[in-house]
């Protein structure tokens, strides 16, 4: 095995003093694009944040200026791709240090973004270090937690109307110390999200070295010790994963020398859980940008697949859901970046579930007379194998709500539906003796 430095050939030709990078598919073409945070105090050599569009041939195009993303000297530490308004497009939230307001860029769907920090109430001026995403109130909309110095961290509750409300003090998660990395997790699998925060200064300074905020039944958080009370390290980043596959998320913490890094093993209780791994077929393979909805015992929970939202850390790509003392899960729904929706009913609990995009649509079941391939299609073109021994007289395209939207002629035994956009379609094939319906996905 060997590796070759292909950075310059791939289009990364600008030197950047950077701290964070995030990946997301901004145009839903199945290819992950890259955002790099620039933080440079050299006023003679200012470089703004960079957004690189994946061209699909192991090269990237710098669209920072044309997309309206690049601002010089934003002092950005961290950013997250997240579909904050659930319109199917990944937006970008950026944590900026010192005197530059945090920024929220709304994806316009045409490879450009609009800055809506002011109108959305997310343009907080703080010593922002990290962006952490989670739906702590389970309304389906992602909330933002941003770390800060002694003035206090920010918890931005998503109101669902493209505005946010800052609630850190009232929820009890302000921290009021020098915070860096943070992560949402349901540490005890009791069906609500807790919050872990890493701090830079120790108890001798009067600051919190770290904090585990446990969600309460009154929709606030309370500071718990839980084994973290002996922490005296200067910590910067953290991440969660299941190191022993017991279904309870463990925490890894990066510390400043001379103290070694921490690994906190989660001691399990009797609560139940499920872990989910996603694999995209039409969407990017890692399903970055997907939203997962779990229903159990009349309560809904939501997770979002993210790549690079924490400060210098990355959580496990496995998504964790705690279901408390419930012994059944009603359903799991996956909203893929492609627009496809999959649903599974009554999966077993206390297991890791691997879900591949299109699994619930019966895409592997082929009509005996007509075979469409590839299905799903990444470019909207399907080839048709006709096993009926009869000529096809008409092909109609029907959308997902049953409307006939087009009648097409077959050219070279192929059908192109790219003009109708990505989604689920039903193809009606008419010959002299039958009318067959085939489900396809683009």
């Amino acid at each position: 095995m060997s590796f070759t430095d292909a950075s310059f050939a791939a289009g990364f030709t600008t030197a950047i003093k950077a701290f964070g990078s995030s990946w997301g598919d901004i145009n839903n073409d199945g290819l992950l694009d890259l955002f790099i945070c620039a933080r440079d105090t050299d006023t003679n050599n200012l470089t703004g944040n960079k957004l690189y569009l994946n061209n699909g041939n192991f090269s990237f195009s710098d669209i920072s200026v044309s997309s309206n993303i690049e601002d010089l000297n934003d002092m950005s530490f961290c950013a997250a791709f997240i579909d904050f308004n659930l319109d199917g497009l990944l937006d970008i939230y950026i944590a900026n240090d010192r005197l530059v307001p945090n920024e929220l860029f709304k994806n316009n769907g045409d490879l450009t973004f609009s800055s809506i920090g002011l109108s959305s109430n997310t343009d907080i001026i703080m010593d922002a270090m990290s962006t952490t995403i989670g739906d702590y109130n389970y309304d389906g909309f992602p909330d933002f937690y941003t770390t800060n110095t002694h003035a206090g961290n920010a918890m931005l509750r998503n109101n669902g109307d493209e505005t946010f409300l800052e609630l850190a003090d009232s929820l009890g998660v302000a921290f009021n110390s020098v915070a860096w990395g943070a992560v949402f997790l349901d540490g005890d699998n009791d069906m609500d999200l807790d919050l872990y925060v890493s701090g830079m200064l120790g108890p001798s300074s009067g600051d919190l070295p770290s904090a585990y905020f446990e969600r309460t039944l009154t929709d606030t958080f309370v500071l718990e010790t839980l084994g973290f009370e002996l922490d005296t390290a200067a910590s910067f980043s953290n991440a969660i994963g299941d190191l022993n596959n017991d279904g309870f998320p463990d925490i890894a913490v990066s510390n400043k020398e001379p103290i070694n890094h921490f690994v906190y093993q989660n001691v399990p209780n009797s609560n139940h859980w499920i872990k989910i791994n996603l694999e995209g077929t039409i969407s990017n393979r890692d399903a970055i940008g997907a939203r997962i909805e779990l229903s159990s015992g009349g309560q809904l929970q939501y997770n979002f697949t993210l790549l690079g939202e924490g400060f210098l850390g990355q959580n496990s790509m496995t998504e964790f859901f705690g279901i408390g003392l419930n012994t059944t899960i009603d359903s799991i729904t996956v909203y893929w970046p492609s627009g496809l929706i999959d649903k599974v009913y009554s999966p077993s609990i206390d297991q890791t579930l691997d879900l591949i995009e299109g699994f619930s649509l019966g895409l592997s079941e082929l009509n005996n007379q007509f075979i469409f391939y590839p299905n799903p299609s990444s470019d909207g073109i399907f080839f048709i194998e006709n096993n009926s021994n009869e000529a096809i007289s008409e092909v109609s395209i029907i959308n997902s709500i049953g409307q006939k939207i087009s009648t097409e002629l077959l050219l070279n035994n192929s059908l192109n539906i790219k003009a109708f956009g990505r989604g689920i379609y039903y193809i009606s094939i008419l010959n002299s003796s039958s009318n067959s319906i085939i489900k396809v996905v683009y």
Side-chain angles (χ1 to χ4, degrees), residues 60-361:
F60 291 77
S61 295
D62 184 350
I63 62 168
S64 311
V65 175
S66 64
S67 65
N68 304 320
I69 286 292
E70 185 178 59
D71 287 326
L72 296 181
N73 201 27
D74 269 357
M75 303 288 285
S76 302
F77 260 131
C78 185
F81 282 104
I82 182 67
D83 181 9
F84 83 97
N85 55 0
L86 307 186
D87 66 352
L89 298 169
L90 286 183
D91 313 293
I92 305 176
Y93 184 59
I94 307 172
N96 290 323
D97 193 13
R98 300 185 182 177
L99 299 179
V100 181
N102 294 341
E103 297 171 292
L104 178 58
F105 285 95
K106 179 181 175 180
N107 192 330
N108 298 321
D110 57 1
L111 298 182
T112 69
F113 290 78
S114 296
S115 177
I116 62 167
L118 179 62
S119 64
S120 64
N121 305 318
T122 58
D123 61 335
I124 300 173
I125 296 178
M126 59 195 303
D127 295 326
M129 315 296 188
S130 180
T131 56
T132 304
I133 310 297
D135 182 13
Y136 80 89
N137 60 341
Y138 294 122
D139 63 354
F141 288 89
D143 309 303
F144 303 163
Y145 185 76
T146 305
T147 54
N148 191 16
T149 50
H150 294 93
N153 301 344
M155 175 74 91
L156 295 171
R157 187 191 70 192
N158 192 330
N159 297 322
D161 59 359
E162 299 194 357
T163 68
F164 290 76
L165 182 63
E166 204 289 298
L167 295 172
D169 284 326
S170 62
L171 291 175
V173 294
F175 194 71
N176 296 115
S177 300
V178 181
W180 287 84
V183 61
F184 283 107
L185 72 161
D186 185 1
D188 49 2
N189 284 335
D190 65 347
M191 303 185 71
D192 56 38
L193 282 182
D194 310 319
L195 180 65
Y196 177 80
V197 182
S198 292
M200 179 180 175
L201 302 177
S204 61
S205 65
D207 285 7
L208 290 170
S210 62
Y212 189 97
F213 295 107
E214 168 75 16
R215 177 77 184 275
T216 71
L217 295 177
T218 59
D219 291 339
T220 58
F221 294 80
V222 61
L223 181 62
E224 297 281 7
T225 53
L226 303 175
F228 300 104
E229 64 272 16
L230 300 179
D231 178 8
T232 59
S235 305
F236 292 91
S237 64
N238 52 58
I240 62 169
D242 190 359
L243 300 180
N244 55 350
N245 288 321
D246 63 357
F248 288 76
D250 309 301
I251 305 174
V253 180
S254 175
N255 297 322
K256 182 181 179 180
E257 52 79 27
I259 299 178
N260 290 333
H261 302 320
F262 294 149
V263 174
Y264 290 107
Q265 182 176 349
N266 194 338
V267 179
N269 56 31
S270 58
N271 286 338
H272 297 292
W273 51 272
I274 193 167
K275 299 191 300 183
I276 299 172
N277 294 319
L278 299 182
E279 181 180 325
T281 53
I282 305 172
S283 305
N284 63 87
R285 183 177 176 84
D286 290 323
I288 304 305
R291 177 167 59 105
I292 308 173
E293 175 190 278
L294 182 143
S295 174
S296 178
Q299 179 175 326
L300 296 177
Q301 300 180 56
Y302 298 89
N303 277 11
F304 309 89
T305 55
L306 304 163
L307 187 53
E309 101 268 21
F311 178 74
L312 301 184
Q314 171 60 41
N315 298 320
S316 165
M317 295 303 296
T318 299
E319 297 296 330
F320 294 80
F321 287 91
I323 60 169
L325 296 178
N326 294 341
T327 57
T328 60
I329 295 172
D330 303 317
S331 64
I332 295 172
T333 306
V334 182
Y335 300 87
W336 301 89
S338 66
L340 206 63
I341 301 174
D342 279 315
K343 194 162 191 172
V344 58
Y345 295 93
S346 303
S348 299
I349 64 173
D350 300 337
Q351 65 148 333
T352 299
L353 188 62
D354 297 322
L355 301 179
I356 299 176
E357 187 175 14
F359 70 89
S360 67
L361 301 177

Side-chain angles (χ1 to χ4, degrees), residues 396-400 402-405 424-428 437:
S396 299
I397 302 173
I398 303 168
N399 65 19
S400 59
Q403 297 172 326
K404 182 177 177 179
I405 56 176
I424 303 170
Y425 297 91
Y426 298 89
I427 310 301
S428 173
I437 304 292

Side-chain angles (χ1 to χ4, degrees), residues 360-373:
S360 67
L361 301 177
L363 298 179
S364 61
E365 299 175 6
L366 302 177
N367 182 280
N368 290 330
Q369 290 186 322
F370 305 101
I371 298 175
F372 278 59
Y373 64 94

